[in-house]
Amino acid sequence: MNDTLINEIDLDGYQIVRGQYFQKQSEPVLTLFQTAIAFGQGAFQALNNCEAIHVLLSNRGRSIVIRSVASNTPDAVLWKKRAEPKYTKIECPQLTRNIYERWGLDKNCHYRAFGKTVQADRKLLILFDFTDPVVYEGLKRV
């Protein structure tokens, strides 16, 4: 055992690094673009690689929920384009323009939120909370 004295330090001026900076490939992620939305691999895995989803937009806050549905369900979004997608970008300019306007988002940026699995009516869903998203301008994080 090392008998070296450990020096005490003052943590004033330090801040805790947000967990989102340590993203894992398996975490569900949703990115909002001016004309599209994109889901990462973790979202597919969290919903057991289903073929289609419903996208639910909150009227009370900045959040989006997705849930798996059968591909023939009304308003189903077919989001799985390949057997093992890394991510899927879905063009939906009317929806995203509405979200950008409603939430007061900067049209020059895109926004990413990490999802967490939740349950409603005994069904598994993913909640993406955009109250504090990661913001990008082009490829640069803002």
Side-chain angles (χ1 to χ4, degrees):
M1 180 166 182
N2 190 350
D3 292 330
T4 307
L5 180 63
I6 298 175
N7 294 325
E8 184 81 18
I9 66 168
D10 180 4
L11 293 178
D12 189 37
Y14 286 85
Q15 62 183 11
I16 296 173
V17 177
R18 292 170 50 183
Q20 70 189 34
Y21 292 117
F22 302 97
Q23 176 190 359
K24 298 175 189 161
Q25 190 89 13
S26 62
E27 286 184 276
V29 64
L30 168 60
T31 305
L32 287 174
F33 296 93
Q34 176 70 25
T35 61
I37 58 176
F39 295 96
Q41 175 70 24
F44 294 103
Q45 292 171 348
L47 292 181
N48 298 316
N49 294 309
C50 65
E51 283 187 24
I53 57 170
H54 270 161
V55 177
L56 296 89
L57 184 61
S58 172
N59 287 325
R60 290 184 233 139
R62 289 181 168 196
S63 62
I64 296 173
V65 169
I66 62 170
R67 64 180 173 207
S68 64
V69 295
S71 58
N72 62 351
T73 304
D75 300 316
V77 176
L78 299 175
W79 71 335
K80 194 170 180 179
K81 297 181 181 179
R82 298 186 292 276
E84 289 296 323
K86 183 175 178 184
Y87 74 94
T88 295
K89 192 171 184 180
I90 303 168
E91 294 294 325
C92 50
Q94 290 179 317
L95 171 65
T96 52
R97 285 186 191 126
N98 179 289
I99 292 171
Y100 270 66
E101 186 177 306
R102 182 187 293 187
W103 293 353
L105 303 178
D106 183 342
K107 294 176 183 178
N108 297 313
C109 297
H110 58 278
Y111 300 82
R112 179 171 292 160
F114 297 93
K116 60 182 170 184
T117 53
V118 294
Q119 192 174 3
D121 300 324
R122 293 191 217 161
K123 293 187 180 185
L124 182 67
L125 308 111
I126 304 175
L127 169 67
F128 297 96
D129 184 355
F130 282 89
T131 55
D132 190 22
V134 179
V135 182
Y136 293 88
E137 189 169 1
L139 296 176
K140 180 181 170 189
R141 182 181 239 148
V142 178

